[in-house]
Amino acid sequence: MCGRFVQKSSANQMQSFFSIKGPVPNFGPRYNVAPTQDAAVVLAEDATTRRLALKKWGLIPAWSKEGKASYATFNARAESVREKPSYAQPFAKRRCIVPADGFYEWTGPKGAKIPHLFERQDGALLALAGLHESWRARDGSETIQSFTIVVTAANGWMSRFHDRMPVILEEAEQETWLTGSAEAATALLKAPGEDVLKERIVSTLVNSVKNEGPELIA
């Protein structure tokens, strides 16, 4: 799955990498982003305009009676993303990209978990396939912007660490994911090539969501 990730690149770096025009939100580097926390995502206003926005990790369906996820919605399974009520409409109309400098997975027995950081071999930002949604209280008193990361079956290389992994978009696929048809986007729901990622063991400080800072990945 994908339950924690790194988003240490600046807004200006993301703006340049994803060809975003206009103002960007102000946020600092994050080394241990966890579900329910805010993170930056890339949205498409139209076929030519992208923007960067902060949204809460853990998709809250627009039809939810309460402004909270009733079950774990920080990951959406690629195999069922077009049919699940929580994700069908976002997949059809509200796809996004989640920029990440890396993501974590753990191996080992309970109580002695070893954290591994996964980054691109070429050093570029990861473009994780995501969906976003806007929930509004019936009385109009509150609006919550949220997102989820789409995951698929791990490729052979990743399967040594976990049986699932995020859908990672290459540069040529990003516009299709953001603005293409549902059928075209479905074709992108696959694991990346075997040589896209690299892995290294990092500090067990990552194991607690309370910990933050560059020392986590040193």
Side-chain angles (χ1 to χ4, degrees):
M1 304 298 278
C2 181
R4 219 82 67 75
F5 66 93
V6 179
Q7 201 174 71
K8 64 183 178 68
S9 291
S10 69
N12 288 338
Q13 288 172 313
M14 294 182 194
Q15 185 179 38
S16 175
F17 186 83
F18 291 105
S19 302
I20 295 167
K21 295 180 173 61
V24 294
N26 184 30
F27 56 87
R30 294 292 312 281
Y31 294 85
N32 202 7
V33 183
T36 75
Q37 297 177 351
D38 288 349
V41 299
V42 178
L43 313 176
E45 295 289 346
D46 51 47
T48 60
T49 307
R50 296 178 181 180
R51 68 181 177 92
L52 201 61
L54 292 176
K55 290 181 177 283
K56 181 179 179 179
W57 189 11
L59 190 141
I60 300 172
W63 43 260
S64 175
K65 293 181 180 180
E66 299 180 351
K68 61 182 181 180
S70 57
Y71 56 95
T73 56
F74 58 92
N75 285 164
R77 293 177 70 92
E79 296 87 345
S80 57
V81 72
R82 295 188 68 176
E83 291 79 35
K84 285 272 181 122
S86 295
Y87 306 129
Q89 279 297 310
F91 183 84
K93 300 179 179 180
R94 291 178 290 278
R95 298 186 294 270
C96 65
I97 294 172
V98 183
D101 295 275
F103 65 92
Y104 301 108
E105 288 296 352
W106 283 259
T107 60
K110 185 176 181 180
K113 292 287 187 182
I114 299 172
H116 302 256
L117 177 64
F118 297 87
E119 304 164 293
R120 282 194 67 104
Q121 287 271 16
D122 59 13
L125 270 167
L126 289 162
L128 308 183
L131 311 174
H132 69 101
E133 185 60 280
S134 178
W135 176 88
R136 190 165 185 260
R138 292 182 178 180
D139 62 4
S141 61
E142 184 182 16
T143 300
I144 299 175
Q145 306 290 338
S146 61
F147 74 95
T148 186
I149 294 172
V150 183
V151 296
T152 189
N155 61 24
W157 181 85
M158 185 69 190
S159 64
R160 296 177 295 161
F161 307 98
H162 202 281
D163 61 356
R164 309 289 295 178
M165 68 186 305
V167 172
I168 298 170
L169 303 167
E170 295 300 326
E171 184 176 359
E173 300 171 330
Q174 292 173 18
E175 192 57 43
T176 298
W177 178 257
L178 288 173
T179 64
S181 67
E183 288 70 27
T186 299
L188 304 178
L189 297 176
K190 61 186 187 303
E194 302 287 335
D195 59 350
V196 170
L197 298 176
K198 61 182 178 181
E199 167 271 342
R200 60 189 174 95
I201 293 173
V202 293
S203 171
T204 54
L205 289 171
V206 173
N207 295 359
S208 172
V209 298
K210 296 179 181 179
N211 294 328
E212 258 292 352
E215 64 274 13
L216 273 63
I217 65 171

